[in-house]
Amino acid sequence: MKTWIAIALLAASPASPAQTAPATELAAPRIDILAWPRMASTDFGCRMEKTLGHRDTRFNCALNGYRNRGDICRTPDAYYEGPAFPDRLASAVHPLATHVELSWEHGNLQAVSITLKGTWSEASVRRAFGLPRASAGALTLTERKAHAWPANLMDSDVQFPSQGETAVTLTGFDHMGGADVGCGESS
């Protein structure tokens, strides 16, 4: 009797963030998102138009001669400009994706974060997305050399932003904000 009660309690316990929600393995992305980090905003906008049928009002295939002229201190809005990714297209990236966040700096994609439905183990997410077993800082030197990172990818991260969600972030280069360059400081 005590065994049955213990089994019933374990079955009713909520899954921890490291557990996989469904019993199946996480599917791979439908699109090669590993190619996205560091991509120019104009190239990314044209790619969205051609592959997803979404035409950004500014960053699209018709935009010619664009050069990001934003200055992190004087014109930060221009410095961080780039196309947004509509939530309605998230499932085109991955069947469980609900949101795709793009972070732009000086005309290039600094990082992309994809929010997935369900709580998936970090190992399962990393296998599905073709990533090494951990973030770059947690890998041994031998592991970093053994894993063939794409040249445009600096790091990756898996987080659990809220219950029932898993987020994978691909970083192309370190974020550079106004505080990093001393905006507003006089010398």
Side-chain angles (χ1 to χ4, degrees), residues 89-159:
L89 296 177
S91 63
V93 172
H94 190 281
L96 298 176
T98 59
H99 181 70
V100 176
E101 183 72 31
L102 306 174
S103 299
W104 297 97
E105 290 187 32
H106 58 74
N108 298 103
L109 187 56
Q110 183 265 332
V112 57
S113 183
I114 300 159
T115 304
L116 305 172
K117 288 185 264 186
T119 305
W120 297 90
S121 72
E122 181 170 359
S124 180
V125 172
R126 290 184 172 282
R127 276 191 304 275
F129 282 78
L131 301 170
R133 71 162 182 84
S135 64
L139 296 174
T140 66
L141 182 58
T142 304
E143 287 175 316
R144 278 183 262 161
K145 288 180 178 179
H147 188 80
W149 283 92
N152 64 313
L153 192 62
M154 178 180 151
D155 204 355
S156 61
D157 191 31
V158 177
Q159 297 287 321

